[in-house]
C-alpha cells in the first residue's frame, strides 16, 4: 500500500485515512466500560465457547448470530461468568476456522458479524482500530488525531483497553508514540506475540541481523 493510498487504514498525504466499517455496534456498556448485558433476558440469549490458540484458550461469546466478545484467559476487565451465556460447541465454526487461519499466518482480515457493546466514543475508537492494516501499527496519538483531537490520546488508550473483541478488533496494533508496547488486556507477552505473528518476514530477518 503506497503512502498516498486512501483506502481504509492507509495514509493520504501522510495522514491516517479513516473509513467506516460495516460492523454493527450497539450500545450497552456500563460506566466502568465493562461488557454487561442490558437485561437478564439478553444474557440468557448468549452462548459461548472456548477456542484453543497459541496464546491460550480464547472465550468467544455470541448473541443473535454476531460476536459480542472474545477474551483471553486472565483477561483484564473481562466479563463475569454470568454474562457469557450457555457454553456450547455449536454455532462457532466460522470463528474457529478464521482464528485458526489467522494464527497459521494465512488470514489478514476477519470476516465475521460483530456486535460489541460500548458507549459512543468507545465504538468510534473500536471502529477506527479495524482500519489499521495487518502488520502495521498506529500510536494512540495517531488515532486521536484521526478522531479530530490530539488531546484524546489517553481516552483512546482507555477505549482500546476496553475492546471486548480482542484479536478480531486489533487493539494489539496500537503502540506508544515511541513504538514501545503499553498496557494490553491480554498482557504484554500476548501483544508482543500477535505483533510478531503479523511481522513481515523481511522485517523479521532484518531485525535478526
Amino acid at each position: 500500500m503506497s503512502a498516498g493510498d486512501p483506502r481504509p487504514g492507509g495514509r493520504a498525504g501522510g495522514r491516517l485515512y479513516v473509513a467506516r466499517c460495516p460492523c454493527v455496534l450497539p450500545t450497552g456498556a456500563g460506566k466502568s466500560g465493562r461488557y454487561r448485558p442490558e437485561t437478564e433476558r439478553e444474557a440468557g440469549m448468549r452462548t459461548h465457547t472456548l477456542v484453543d490458540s497459541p496464546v491460550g484458550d480464547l472465550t468467544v461469546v455470541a448473541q443473535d448470530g454476531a460476536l459480542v466478545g472474545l477474551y483471553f484467559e486472565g483477561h483484564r476487565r473481562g466479563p463475569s461468568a454470568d454474562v457469557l451465556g450457555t457454553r456450547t460447541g455449536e454455532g462457532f465454526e466460522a470463528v474457529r476456522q478464521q482464528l485458526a487461519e489467522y494464527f497459521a499466518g494465512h488470514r489478514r482480515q476477519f470476516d465475521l458479524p460483530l456486535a460489541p457493546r460500548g458507549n459512543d466514543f468507545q465504538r468510534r475508537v473500536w471502529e477506527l482500530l479495524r482500519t489499521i492494516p495487518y502488520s502495521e501499527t498506529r500510536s494512540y496519538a495517531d488515532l486521536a488525531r484521526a478522531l479530530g483531537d490530539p488531546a484524546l490520546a489517553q481516552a483512546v488508550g482507555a477505549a482500546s483497553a476496553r475492546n471486548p473483541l480482542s484479536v478480531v478488533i486489533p487493539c494489539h496494533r496500537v503502540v506508544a508514540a515511541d513504538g514501545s508496547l503499553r498496557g494490553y488486556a491480554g498482557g504484554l507477552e500476548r501483544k508482543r506475540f500477535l505483533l510478531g505473528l503479523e511481522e513481515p518476514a523481511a522485517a523479521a530477518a532484518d531485525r535478526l541481523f
Side-chain angles (χ1 to χ4, degrees):
M1 186 175 291
S2 66
D5 193 335
R7 287 176 290 177
R11 290 180 179 271
R15 298 179 62 185
L16 181 69
Y17 178 84
V18 183
R20 295 194 63 80
C21 296
C23 51
V24 179
L25 295 164
T27 58
K31 291 181 179 179
S32 67
R34 288 175 63 92
Y35 169 81
R36 299 294 303 174
E38 295 176 357
T39 65
E40 290 185 8
R41 178 176 176 274
E42 185 182 61
M45 295 167 63
R46 294 196 178 96
T47 57
H48 76 279
T49 195
L50 293 183
V51 177
D52 182 54
S53 84
V55 290
D57 285 343
L58 302 173
T59 298
V60 185
V61 188
Q63 181 180 336
D64 296 329
L67 298 186
V68 295
L70 193 156
Y71 304 97
F72 299 105
E73 293 179 273
H75 196 103
R76 190 179 308 164
R77 290 181 293 273
S80 57
D82 63 330
V83 303
L84 298 179
T86 304
R87 181 173 173 178
T88 179
E90 300 179 356
F92 290 90
E93 292 79 9
V95 67
R96 286 182 184 279
Q97 178 180 342
Q98 292 192 27
L99 284 169
E101 292 169 350
Y102 170 78
F103 284 114
H106 302 316
R107 174 172 289 275
R108 295 189 167 209
Q109 186 173 353
F110 290 93
D111 181 20
L112 298 164
L114 309 180
R117 302 303 201 251
N119 61 40
D120 290 343
F121 180 76
Q122 288 171 336
R123 288 183 286 130
R124 289 175 63 200
V125 172
W126 300 339
E127 186 174 330
L128 185 57
L129 292 176
R130 295 192 70 206
T131 71
I132 304 175
Y134 182 94
S135 80
E136 296 186 22
T137 60
R138 300 288 184 266
S139 71
Y140 300 102
D142 287 335
L143 300 183
R145 285 191 292 270
L147 290 171
D149 186 351
L152 291 175
Q154 186 172 356
V156 165
S160 180
R162 291 181 170 85
N163 167 29
L165 282 162
S166 296
V167 183
V168 176
I169 295 180
C171 55
H172 60 275
R173 296 176 191 161
V174 187
V175 298
D178 62 2
S180 63
L181 305 188
R182 296 292 172 87
Y184 185 59
L188 291 184
E189 283 305 310
R190 288 189 175 111
K191 184 169 186 172
R192 189 172 292 110
F193 176 90
L194 294 172
L195 291 174
L197 175 70
E198 298 180 4
E199 187 175 25
D206 288 344
R207 184 166 45 79
L208 290 175
F209 298 100

